[in-house]
Amino acid sequence: MNLPLLFTTLAGVLLALIGHSRAAPSVSLISNTQLDANGIFFVLFDGVVNVNSFQLSGVLTFSNWQFVGWYTSTGAPVLGRRQLPSGAWSTLQLPHKLSTNDSHNVIAIGVSPADGKIHIAMDCHSTQVFYTSSEAGLATNGATWVASRFGPITNTIGNLNVGSVITYPQFVITPDNLLQFVFRSGVSGNGATQLAEYNNGVWTNVGSWASASGTYTSTNGVTSGARNLYIHGFEYGAGRAHVAGTWREQVGGVSCSSAGLTNHDTTYFYSEDKGRTWKNSAGASIGTSGSSPVNVNTGGIIVDPLNADHGLMNQESQAIDSAGQIHIIISYVPGRFTQCVTNYETDRPLFARPFHLFRSANGTFTKVEIPFPVNSVGRSQIVMDKADNVYVVLPFVRIVTASKSSGWTDWTMAYDGVAAGLNAFGEVTVDRARVPSGVLSILYQLKSTGTTTPSPVKLIDFALNG
């Protein structure tokens, strides 16, 4: 059974706009730094390998250091480091080369707080993963930034064999300062979302927490027997691991068009024991990692129902507010434009709209359309400041904001990267760990002057003025 969804009415929006006492927050440009004049550039699956929305830790702050990863023009992975707030960047190249021109094969960075090691997972799309970690303490001690401080590159996550069909590596720090590794095993439309954990220098398997099993019947009557859950994030807040996502079906016929997307529904569930067991928004127990993972037929996890006819995008983003409630960005083509997206690559840039979907303490969700079009196939990033104001980075580094005091309805364009002439290619990656300090760091790459001509990779910093 679907949870009730509270749709904000026009009258409600107007009342909120009249009643709130503060305007939507602004941002101020601090710096825009070129990291590499010649980042590798190719477009595949509507994205570039150096900046993708699911690359949750492509740029990462830990303690007073910031780390970033990208591939240079030769395909070599480059790791950058600087001391915050404005130290000079140092770089090193790892002894590896991008195995194929696939935009999925991003670099993910993690830090294990207990030993100060930096962990790197990269270059995988339904293939073996490439992994390395640094010597202890490198995340914080400021030792010389050289490749010899990292161990050999392996196809395991340290001591843990995670298999040879891996995609979307992500690192997450738990509330008690353990490091976790989130990834998908299997393939698009038939995969499982997995969790591993690093403690006392050893990686252990927690297991699959969202499986491919179950049966989905579309509104057109077509049935699919396999899928995968694409997640908008895996984020801790108020002691819980929060996960929002959307299902992608294996059977293309669940969509009204073969050139559409088989993504459907937005889901939400959470864990109070670091991903071992799971509950739906109503608090009912729904799954156990490893033995009985969540699946498409699990009750009470759909928080915004939508069939596979609207070009619903997978892997956008989520954030957790100070009260421990989740805020999600989703985007799709609303029914007022069409009831059938015949080609998502052409229809989404024309008609897709972003929506802010957020949970209240009683477990219900509210959805508000953000009044700025996506203008892209791609995805957006959401972050929140300490006052729970919302900042959404739309494709091309367009930052729109809304204040908590308005009920997140006073959406304003705070920075327009298109008007500013940034020439950014589509999606961006943000440093979520730096946001609590009041600074938003955004990693982006410039559009190429050709099809595969290398282009600059940049990091732009904004002060959040909420």
Side-chain angles (χ1 to χ4, degrees):
M1 180 179 296
N2 298 340
L3 294 172
L5 182 68
L6 304 182
F7 289 92
T8 301
T9 64
L10 178 60
V13 170
L14 291 174
L15 286 173
L17 289 172
I18 293 170
H20 80 271
S21 58
R22 296 176 60 196
S26 64
V27 300
S28 301
L29 177 63
I30 298 173
S31 62
N32 189 9
T33 305
Q34 181 167 288
L35 301 174
D36 189 341
N38 295 293
I40 196 170
F41 189 96
F42 55 86
V43 179
L44 192 68
F45 300 102
D46 307 297
V48 294
V49 72
N50 283 328
V51 278
N52 249 308
S53 68
F54 50 79
Q55 188 183 6
L56 296 184
S57 50
V59 54
L60 174 70
T61 288
F62 185 82
S63 185
N64 63 331
W65 297 91
Q66 189 173 44
F67 307 95
V68 62
W70 71 91
Y71 296 98
T72 193
S73 59
T74 63
V78 179
L79 302 181
R81 181 188 71 175
R82 69 166 169 173
Q83 190 165 18
L84 294 173
S86 56
W89 284 97
S90 300
T91 61
L92 62 84
Q93 287 192 15
L94 294 175
H96 180 72
K97 184 176 181 179
L98 183 65
S99 59
T100 184
N101 283 358
D102 187 332
S103 60
H104 288 81
N105 294 32
V106 298
I107 299 171
I109 306 170
V111 173
S112 44
D115 57 15
K117 288 186 176 182
I118 301 167
H119 301 254
I120 306 296
M122 59 185 171
D123 195 10
C124 56
H125 181 201
S126 302
T127 58
Q128 60 189 0
V129 67
F130 294 89
Y131 167 88
T132 185
S133 63
S134 75
E135 62 187 34
L138 188 61
T140 58
N141 62 17
T144 53
W145 190 243
V146 291
S148 59
R149 295 192 182 277
F150 286 80
I153 294 175
T154 66
N155 299 125
T156 61
I157 302 300
N159 59 283
L160 183 64
N161 184 351
V162 293
S164 59
V165 189
I166 305 302
T167 316
Y168 309 122
Q170 301 168 9
F171 293 101
V172 183
I173 295 176
T174 68
D176 57 349
N177 281 330
L178 300 181
L179 183 66
Q180 293 185 321
F181 182 61
V182 181
F183 61 100
R184 187 190 74 193
S185 61
V187 299
S188 177
N190 189 11
T193 312
Q194 306 274 357
L195 182 65
E197 189 171 271
Y198 181 79
N199 191 9
N200 293 323
V202 178
W203 284 99
T204 57
N205 181 47
V206 176
S208 169
W209 46 273
S211 77
S213 65
T215 300
Y216 172 74
T217 302
S218 178
T219 50
N220 64 12
V222 175
T223 296
S224 176
R227 68 213 42 84
N228 71 284
L229 181 68
Y230 278 119
I231 62 174
H232 296 310
F234 190 108
E235 189 167 359
Y236 282 92
R240 293 175 173 176
H242 302 263
V243 177
T246 182
W247 297 107
R248 173 172 291 180
E249 296 300 321
Q250 183 183 58
V251 175
V254 301
S255 176
C256 61
S257 171
S258 60
L261 290 170
T262 62
N263 301 335
H264 63 90
D265 300 320
T266 298
T267 64
Y268 168 72
F269 46 94
Y270 66 89
S271 171
E272 296 176 312
D273 54 7
K274 295 182 292 187
R276 271 67 176 177
T277 61
W278 298 91
K279 295 180 178 181
N280 63 21
S281 191
S285 296
I286 56 170
T288 301
S289 296
S291 59
S292 55
V294 172
N295 66 56
V296 73
N297 300 128
T298 298
I301 63 172
I302 297 174
V303 296
D304 187 38
L306 188 70
N307 68 16
D309 296 341
H310 291 274
L312 176 65
M313 183 49 65
N314 49 284
Q315 296 166 295
E316 298 230 24
S317 59
Q318 63 178 54
I320 313 301
D321 67 23
S322 62
Q325 304 302 334
I326 193 169
H327 295 246
I328 312 160
I329 293 300
I330 61 175
S331 66
Y332 59 87
V333 176
R336 67 178 182 269
F337 296 111
T338 181
Q339 292 295 335
C340 179
V341 168
T342 56
N343 186 321
Y344 80 93
E345 291 183 306
T346 56
D347 289 358
R348 278 187 55 87
L350 292 173
F351 305 119
R353 296 296 186 269
F355 295 83
H356 176 213
L357 182 64
F358 58 94
R359 185 179 187 269
S360 299
N362 64 4
T364 60
F365 279 76
T366 301
K367 183 170 70 172
V368 176
E369 181 174 341
I370 299 173
F372 298 94
V374 176
N375 290 343
S376 172
V377 173
R379 309 154 172 102
S380 303
Q381 297 284 332
I382 181 173
V383 300
M384 305 185 76
D385 64 22
K386 289 184 176 180
D388 290 338
N389 300 305
V390 169
Y391 305 75
V392 175
V393 188
L394 299 169
F396 314 113
V397 196
R398 292 172 297 141
I399 305 174
V400 297
T401 68
S403 66
K404 179 183 179 181
S405 61
S406 74
W408 301 292
T409 58
D410 56 349
W411 290 97
T412 300
M413 179 70 74
Y415 180 85
D416 188 342
V418 176
L422 294 188
N423 197 32
F425 177 92
E427 294 181 7
V428 302
T429 299
V430 301
D431 185 346
R432 297 182 177 277
R434 198 181 183 194
V435 170
S437 72
V439 178
L440 174 61
S441 291
I442 302 172
L443 181 68
Y444 73 99
Q445 186 162 4
L446 271 63
K447 297 175 184 176
S448 174
T449 57
T451 304
T452 59
T453 305
S455 70
V457 177
K458 291 190 171 185
L459 189 76
I460 189 168
D461 288 345
F462 295 91
L464 304 181
N465 303 321

